[in-house]
Amino acid sequence: MIARLTITERQLAIVLAGLLALVGLTMAAAARQGPMAVHGFMAIAIGGALASAVIGKLYAPEPSPERLSHYYDDPIKAGILIAMVWGIFAMAVGLWVAALMVWPEATFNQAWASYGRIRPVHTTGVIFAFGGNALIATSFHVMQRTSRARLPDQLSPWVVLVGYNLFCLWAVTGYLMGVTQSKEYAEPEWYADILLVVAWVIYFVLYLRTLARRAEPHIYVANWYYLAFILVVAMLHIVNSLALPVSFAGAKSYSLFSGVQDAMVQWWYGHNAVAFFMTSGFLGMLYYYLPMRAQRPIFSYRLSILSFWGITFFYMWVGSHHLHYTALPNWVQTLGMTFSVMLLVPSWASAGNALMTLNGAWHRVRDDATLRFMFVAAVFYGLSTFEGSFMAIRPVNALSHYTDWTVGHVHSGALGWLAMVTFGAFYSVIPALWGRERMYSARLIEWHFWLALAGLLTYVFSLWNAGITQGLMWRTYNEAGTLNYSFLESIEAMRPYYIARFAGGALFLSGIVVGAANIWMTVRGPRGTAADRPLALQAAE
Amino acid sequence: MSLFKLHYNLEKHSIGLVLGIILAASVGGFIEIAPLFTIDETVETTDDMRLYTPLELAGRNIYIREGCYACHSQMVRTLRDEVERYGPYSLAAESQYDHPMLWGSKRTGPDLARLGTKYSDDWHVAHLTDPRAVVPTSIMPAYPWLNENEAAIDDLPAHLATQQRLGVPYTDEMIANAARDALGQASPDSDWAEGVAERYGEATNIRSFDKGERLTEMDALVAYLQVLGQMTQAPYQTPEQAEQ
């Protein structure tokens, strides 16, 4: 990969890696000890390793200028492999977290292994590390192909990848050491937040620069979704993470907001992370890879326009449905509920659009597990958005909130939609990226598909039952007019469901392991004769 | 249709698209969040709202560090069964000095908003050290290291000062004495104990929470757990009305 950088780019890469090491050194020196110092040393190690790798090949032969007539795929390949590694790691941790609900002693009395610390390792790992790398990698792919333009330079995609993954590493290792700001899905502390903003701004600028070079007059649908994802996630992240550090030499900070305002800002962030990270970004994926794989155009272009603006506008109102019956003013709760229900229109427009695109290609869905991944993803997107709108209705929420139904709902989205569409996209793109005719084994894709689907269904059904049982037990009265069950009885009733959840998680995890093995064999396998879409001619830089 | 014509132009201009996205995505958040900062209407006024003592604040930070919020909410909703199970529903005023709030989103364990004074210190210490020794069917992890780790108190003045900058009404005197007050709260016979009552009120719990000589993280966490729901008496004074 270094061989494909020019000497000037290699020199600049060394400077940037050195800069990263310097930032790490400053952090380590300021903090002297504790998690922030550890994170400083991690930055030094990564910066140093990158710098020495490039220095070792500094005077290797330069690439031919002919490279500019191809797409720049190295960072996409790296992103996909990194996403798979994170995926296995984070889902394995998830399995452990699920096991703790059945066998609470499985922490071995180690602080780092206790439930409260590894649970965010799982959530951040899946959403941000696995999902984020998948989004970054596929967005690099989609924006080049749909713009018929090469990435504007060869360094900034690497800066985005390295910066983003260092953020994920800081976040995950931080939780193990007890560094968290306790805002769900935004647990990393202030210095990690700053790193994310830097990486994210470079990502956004890179996206715009690629679009500016496009040879197509129109910006393709998938790019709108990716753009909304990048832009709005930046808005959400910056506002929700506003905090005052106790000292610049320490990890601890206090949120700028308190109490009811903090709760609203948190769930405005929390639900829109679902909207723009886990929905908008992955819809971008769906809108490119599904039609490509099905070899059919999108069913309705106008429907895409309506659903895009509907999602962008409606979603931002709905966060307050996480705060029904709380001390948040009633009018905000009502607004959140109303918009949550209206959100069903653009959500189902997207899901319907995807399914209608498959109309006429059902034989491909039947025969091709890769396309079937994306089909199931579209179905589960439709199902979980329906479930979400339903759960946002106040009386339903009274039952479902605080129970495992919420956890089941999140996983029907995360496993059924987000992970499924990612696997479909990966299997669609990997052979072409590595110049192979097809994936190493079609049978292993089938295995992955059925393991994932079985795991998903086991997981979702067990937690659906768990949540409703819990909710009903909490509010059941006996004939004397007093509460019928103690809280503890409701916990004891969960045991069979938690065991089933563990089994579902194990199935899903074994699926991704099979998938990773298949991807690895494809990458290592012999070169085929796959052809890439042509790049538009453009002047050399 | 002219709307689609407009879009036809929009999708040819990346900056136009960017501005459109920012505009569409800003409206909802702005309308819902900005009015909440008119604090007088969002948060009730209470005349007896107390502040966390330095030791309780340290305990709160341990609660955050261990991720307790992932399994325990601190928000009693205005529902009949919740009010009967846990106590009066939570008021906005109760968390007005909580940076950040810990309302939670999942009850794998029970709600803790009204936990303070419900159990003895001994119960909490035993429960945190080995939950199943006290509650055989509990699925809570054990936290034995809380007994072993000494509570960090040196940086408490900086913590209080940061909170003061964010609008929590800690006085300069409280900030200056933060570390001493933390020690004093857990050792009632010491010279520092008096200052704690002086600065934080006579009702402050001044005692060794884990009965040990050292000031441990267990002291801090139990001190925090014992004031949950006790920051103001306001929720106990409003007539209990719950929906459903």
Side-chain angles (χ1 to χ4, degrees):
Chain A
M1 288 179 176
I2 297 167
R4 256 168 293 199
L5 302 176
T6 63
I7 299 226
T8 334
E9 283 166 341
R10 288 175 208 165
Q11 286 163 341
L12 193 56
I14 295 167
V15 172
L16 287 171
L19 212 61
L20 177 62
L22 199 65
V23 170
L25 190 66
T26 316
M27 282 169 63
R32 290 210 189 89
Q33 53 180 344
M36 196 170 160
V38 175
H39 287 160
F41 284 116
M42 282 168 66
I44 296 175
I46 290 174
L50 288 172
S52 63
V54 181
I55 289 171
K57 292 192 177 157
L58 183 55
Y59 293 110
E62 284 219 11
S64 77
E66 189 258 346
R67 76 188 186 285
L68 295 176
S69 60
H70 298 289
Y71 296 113
Y72 187 41
D73 288 342
D74 288 351
I76 307 172
K77 294 179 184 176
I80 289 176
L81 297 181
I82 295 171
M84 290 306 288
V85 172
W86 275 116
I88 292 176
F89 166 76
M91 288 180 202
V93 175
L95 193 64
W96 186 7
V97 175
L100 284 178
M101 312 285 267
V102 189
W103 303 282
E105 312 277 1
T107 63
F108 321 111
N109 283 346
Q110 295 297 309
W112 64 268
S114 74
Y115 182 91
R117 294 200 192 183
I118 61 172
R119 188 256 190 188
V121 172
H122 165 61
T123 52
T124 301
V126 170
I127 301 171
F128 295 106
F130 167 66
N133 277 299
L135 285 171
I136 291 174
T138 55
S139 74
F140 287 167
H141 183 255
V142 170
M143 70 183 173
Q144 293 190 86
R145 264 61 179 188
T146 55
S147 306
R148 284 208 289 141
R150 185 184 161 87
L151 288 172
D153 74 297
Q154 307 202 97
L155 273 188
S156 54
W158 293 109
V159 176
V160 173
L161 269 180
V162 172
Y164 185 76
N165 280 290
L166 181 61
F167 161 78
C168 294
L169 271 176
W170 277 359
V172 163
T173 53
Y175 308 148
L176 297 176
M177 293 184 284
V179 176
T180 168
Q181 53 176 4
S182 87
K183 292 189 147 207
E184 270 182 89
Y185 315 112
E187 288 98 341
E189 272 290 0
W190 61 277
Y191 56 93
D193 288 339
I194 293 173
L195 171 65
L196 180 60
V197 172
V198 173
W200 214 251
V201 168
I202 297 170
Y203 184 25
F204 174 62
V205 173
L206 179 64
Y207 215 106
L208 283 189
R209 285 165 68 207
T210 312
L211 286 183
R213 295 158 57 95
R214 74 185 181 277
E216 301 280 351
H218 291 269
I219 303 171
Y220 181 71
V221 192
N223 288 313
W224 316 341
Y225 282 99
Y226 277 121
L227 258 185
F229 144 67
I230 300 171
L231 264 174
V232 184
V233 165
M235 279 164 60
L236 298 166
H237 170 74
I238 291 172
V239 173
N240 187 46
S241 299
L242 290 174
L244 197 57
V246 172
S247 132
F248 288 109
K252 179 73 187 168
S253 71
Y254 287 105
S255 169
L256 219 55
F257 312 107
S258 71
V260 60
Q261 293 94 353
D262 190 49
M264 185 62 230
V265 171
Q266 160 60 26
W267 287 113
W268 167 79
Y269 163 88
H271 202 83
N272 288 313
V274 174
F276 289 91
F277 206 97
M278 299 171 75
T279 302
S280 188
F282 289 92
L283 277 175
M285 220 185 254
L286 186 79
Y287 270 106
Y288 180 75
Y289 294 102
L290 179 100
M292 188 184 86
R293 190 75 187 184
Q295 296 174 358
R296 293 180 55 81
I298 277 287
F299 166 69
S300 162
Y301 194 70
R302 291 190 166 185
L303 209 53
S304 341
I305 296 178
L306 283 180
S307 82
F308 174 73
W309 291 104
I311 284 173
T312 309
F313 181 73
F314 285 165
Y315 247 119
M316 297 302 269
W317 297 74
V318 307
S320 56
H321 71 220
H322 286 256
L323 300 165
H324 280 325
Y325 303 99
T326 67
L328 183 78
N330 216 39
W331 64 267
V332 197
Q333 301 178 21
T334 307
L335 268 181
M337 174 174 81
T338 314
F339 276 87
S340 302
V341 174
M342 293 198 289
L343 189 56
L344 196 56
V345 175
S347 300
W348 272 25
S350 268
N353 210 355
L355 293 178
M356 293 301 279
T357 302
L358 292 175
N359 219 357
W362 293 114
H363 60 286
R364 285 207 189 93
V365 177
R366 185 192 61 208
D367 298 337
D368 178 9
T370 303
L371 189 58
R372 219 179 305 131
F373 266 114
M374 290 189 269
F375 161 70
V376 170
V379 170
F380 264 85
Y381 175 63
L383 288 178
S384 22
T385 47
F386 173 77
E387 190 184 28
S389 296
F390 182 62
M391 289 166 82
I393 300 170
R394 218 186 245 127
V396 181
N397 192 271
L399 180 82
S400 75
H401 196 57
Y402 296 133
T403 73
D404 278 298
W405 188 355
T406 311
V407 186
H409 168 61
V410 171
H411 282 81
S412 93
L415 302 176
W417 155 238
L418 187 158
M420 289 289 196
V421 71
T422 302
F423 297 140
F426 279 5
Y427 288 136
S428 312
V429 76
I430 283 172
L433 268 184
W434 270 275
R436 313 285 183 261
E437 268 175 73
R438 59 182 75 83
M439 289 294 297
Y440 168 73
S441 160
R443 264 186 89 157
L444 287 181
I445 303 182
E446 285 286 343
W447 269 97
H448 182 186
F449 175 79
W450 291 108
L451 282 170
L453 188 64
L456 162 69
L457 292 176
T458 314
Y459 193 106
V460 172
F461 276 104
S462 60
L463 283 202
W464 206 61
N465 279 312
I468 292 179
T469 310
Q470 253 171 334
L472 290 177
M473 282 179 88
W474 291 347
R475 59 160 64 168
T476 301
Y477 284 86
N478 57 26
E479 281 169 9
T482 55
L483 291 167
N484 200 31
Y485 297 105
S486 70
F487 190 89
L488 203 60
E489 284 172 301
S490 75
I491 295 178
E492 288 162 20
M494 292 304 104
R495 196 176 162 83
Y497 304 121
Y498 285 167
I499 292 173
R501 179 236 294 251
F502 177 78
L507 286 172
F508 202 90
L509 176 68
S510 45
I512 192 179
V513 171
V514 170
N518 198 6
I519 290 173
W520 185 242
M521 293 307 287
T522 312
V523 170
R524 296 286 306 271
R527 239 192 126 74
T529 49
D532 202 355
R533 288 184 61 188
L535 179 65
L537 291 175
Q538 43 188 248
E541 280 161 295
Chain B
M1 264 175 89
S2 62
L3 211 57
F4 287 114
K5 183 78 189 159
L6 170 77
H7 204 272
Y8 184 82
N9 292 323
L10 202 58
E11 66 198 45
K12 285 191 287 188
H13 296 97
S14 50
I15 298 302
L17 194 61
V18 164
L19 292 177
I21 292 170
I22 294 178
L23 194 71
S26 303
V27 182
F30 187 76
I31 290 182
E32 287 189 349
I33 295 173
L36 296 181
F37 285 88
T38 53
I39 297 200
D40 297 345
E41 285 165 39
T42 313
V43 182
E44 316 81 357
T45 25
T46 52
D47 41 18
D48 62 341
M49 186 67 194
R50 79 193 272 289
L51 299 176
Y52 295 116
T53 64
L55 187 65
E56 289 156 9
L57 187 67
R60 189 172 198 270
N61 288 336
I62 293 167
Y63 182 97
I64 289 173
R65 182 188 77 192
E66 301 302 344
C68 306
Y69 64 90
C71 292
H72 296 281
S73 56
Q74 289 188 22
M75 170 55 58
V76 181
R77 294 182 294 174
T78 56
L79 296 169
R80 180 182 154 208
D81 58 295
E82 297 211 355
V83 171
E84 284 180 19
R85 189 182 299 277
Y86 298 113
Y89 58 81
S90 303
L91 300 181
E94 290 181 88
S95 49
Q96 62 178 311
Y97 300 135
D98 288 0
H99 296 266
M101 58 85 207
L102 294 172
W103 292 8
S105 63
K106 174 78 195 341
R107 283 179 189 152
T108 305
D111 187 89
L112 301 185
R114 306 266 168 253
L115 182 70
T117 69
K118 215 170 192 169
Y119 302 98
S120 68
D121 296 343
D122 292 343
W123 185 92
H124 279 298
V125 172
H127 181 245
L128 287 163
T129 312
D130 179 10
R132 275 154 297 285
V134 192
V135 186
T137 50
S138 165
I139 57 168
M140 190 173 104
Y143 295 89
W145 58 89
L146 297 176
N147 287 311
E148 289 149 28
N149 294 355
E150 238 165 274
I153 54 170
D154 294 347
D155 58 349
L156 280 174
H159 282 258
L160 263 65
T162 312
Q163 295 245 319
Q164 188 194 45
R165 249 171 259 138
L166 294 174
V168 182
Y170 283 114
T171 62
D172 293 341
E173 196 199 344
M174 287 170 169
I175 293 172
N177 289 294
R180 274 182 293 274
D181 285 351
L183 280 173
Q185 190 179 355
S187 39
D189 303 327
S190 69
D191 302 340
W192 305 306
E194 232 168 84
V196 183
E198 224 168 83
R199 278 181 281 277
Y200 295 92
E202 290 300 326
T204 310
N205 301 319
I206 300 177
R207 56 181 187 251
S208 173
F209 295 91
D210 66 356
K211 306 284 191 296
E213 294 290 308
R214 295 153 58 234
L215 185 67
T216 60
E217 293 188 337
M218 185 64 86
D219 280 304
L221 184 58
V222 175
Y224 169 65
L225 295 177
Q226 291 291 26
V227 295
L228 289 177
Q230 302 298 317
M231 303 302 280
T232 164
Q233 292 305 306
Y236 305 92
Q237 284 148 8
T238 38
E240 281 192 10
Q241 8 168 258
E243 289 180 41
Q244 281 199 342

